[in-house]
């Protein structure tokens, strides 16, 4: 070989491909950065969809300032009359004798005024299959009829538009056994006279 440089001896320089360490380092760093950013973004998405654990905990343990509901008694539209202000006609529509007199005596002991006592008129005689029918004028629907109804809970209540006066009729039916027990009737009267609570809003803060 005729040049400036000559190869002497039996050793020749080894031809190697240039190493790419620099490129590998760059790739590793870039991959780590991508993974880090992706993980952080995932955590942020989880935090957004779950509402944030700390915020939810703080909201749950904080003072409740939302409007609350407080029951307050509502006034009754019409005052209910007492038993002593109600006159009841006791009429027997069954084939069993003595029911009207016995029932009238018990109602009198409980404070009701007693009017007529006897057999029911033809339109009701032997035609009342239930415990009884309570009859009164239209004005008695929400006043005296409910009061009398506490003494015979299973009785049907009816009003007659053309009926005059304030007296009520208690027509005893085939299913009648006896009036409600006095303690039960007294309890029903107390509950009937107690106004039902009406919800009203109350601010908590």
């Amino acid at each position: 070989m005729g040049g400036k440089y000559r190869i002497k001896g039996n050793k020749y320089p080894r031809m190697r491909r240039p190493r790419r360490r620099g490129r590998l380092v760059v790739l590793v760093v870039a991959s780590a950065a991508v993974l880090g950013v992706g993980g952080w973004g995932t955590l942020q998405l989880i935090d957004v969809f779950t509402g944030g654990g700390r915020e939810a905990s703080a909201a749950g343990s904080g003072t409740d300032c939302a409007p609350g509901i407080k029951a307050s008694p509502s006034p009754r539209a019409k005052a209910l009359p007492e038993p002593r202000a109600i006159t009841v006609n006791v009429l027997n529509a069954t084939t069993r004798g003595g029911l009207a007199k016995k029932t009238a005596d018990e109602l009198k002991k409980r404070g009701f005024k007693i009017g007529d006592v006897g057999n029911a008129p033809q339109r009701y005689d032997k035609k009342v299959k239930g415990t009884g029918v309570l009859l009164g004028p239209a004005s008695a629907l929400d006043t005296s009829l409910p009061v009398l109804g506490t003494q015979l809970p299973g009785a049907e209540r009816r009003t007659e538009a053309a009926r005059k006066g304030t007296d009520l009729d208690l027509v005893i039916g085939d299913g009648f056994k006896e009036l409600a027990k006095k303690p039960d009737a007294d309890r029903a009267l107390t509950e009937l006279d107690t106004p039902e609570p009406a919800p009203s809003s109350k601010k908590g803060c």
Side-chain angles (χ1 to χ4, degrees), residues 123 135-139 158-167:
R123 59 174 175 163
L135 299 171
S139 60
R158 299 180 186 176
T159 59
E160 298 173 332
R163 188 183 182 105
K164 297 180 180 180
T166 60
D167 292 0

Side-chain angles (χ1 to χ4, degrees), residues 48-108:
V48 167
F49 284 107
T50 58
R54 289 176 295 180
E55 293 180 1
S57 176
S61 60
T63 303
D64 186 10
C65 294
I69 300 297
K70 182 181 179 182
S72 59
S74 57
R76 187 179 296 276
K78 295 181 180 179
L80 295 177
E82 296 183 3
R84 63 184 179 182
I86 301 175
T87 300
V88 183
N89 303 315
V90 184
L91 308 174
N92 186 5
T94 74
T95 57
R96 292 174 287 169
L99 281 183
K101 178 68 167 58
K102 182 179 179 180
T103 303
D105 290 343
E106 184 60 30
L107 286 175
K108 187 175 181 179

Side-chain angles (χ1 to χ4, degrees), residues 19-194:
R19 297 182 178 181
R20 301 180 178 179
R21 293 182 179 178
R23 184 179 299 177
L24 290 176
V25 171
V26 172
L27 289 176
V28 170
V29 172
S31 299
V34 170
L35 290 175
V37 172
W40 180 82
T42 301
L43 291 176
Q44 291 298 315
L45 287 175
I46 293 175
D47 189 57
V48 167
F49 284 107
T50 58
R54 289 176 295 180
E55 293 180 1
S57 176
S61 60
T63 303
D64 186 10
C65 294
I69 300 297
K70 182 181 179 182
S72 59
S74 57
R76 187 179 296 276
K78 295 181 180 179
L80 295 177
E82 296 183 3
R84 63 184 179 182
I86 301 175
T87 300
V88 183
N89 303 315
V90 184
L91 308 174
N92 186 5
T94 74
T95 57
R96 292 174 287 169
L99 281 183
K101 178 68 167 58
K102 182 179 179 180
T103 303
D105 290 343
E106 184 60 30
L107 286 175
K108 187 175 181 179
K109 292 178 182 179
R110 300 184 184 188
F112 291 87
K113 289 183 178 181
I114 303 302
D116 296 335
V117 178
N119 294 326
Q122 185 177 2
R123 59 174 175 163
Y124 292 111
D125 189 29
K126 302 178 184 63
K127 298 177 183 178
V128 179
K129 302 303 179 182
T131 58
V133 176
L134 306 182
L135 299 171
S139 60
L141 181 61
D142 297 323
T143 55
S144 55
L145 273 180
V147 175
L148 182 59
T150 60
Q151 311 303 310
L152 192 60
E156 180 185 355
R157 302 177 191 177
R158 299 180 186 176
T159 59
E160 298 173 332
R163 188 183 182 105
K164 297 180 180 180
T166 60
D167 292 0
L168 304 181
D169 292 345
L170 191 160
V171 182
I172 300 174
D174 293 336
F176 177 86
K177 293 182 179 180
E178 62 181 0
L179 295 175
K181 300 296 184 182
K182 191 174 185 306
D184 296 335
D186 291 342
R187 188 181 308 111
L189 272 173
T190 301
E191 294 176 355
L192 188 66
D193 198 43
T194 302

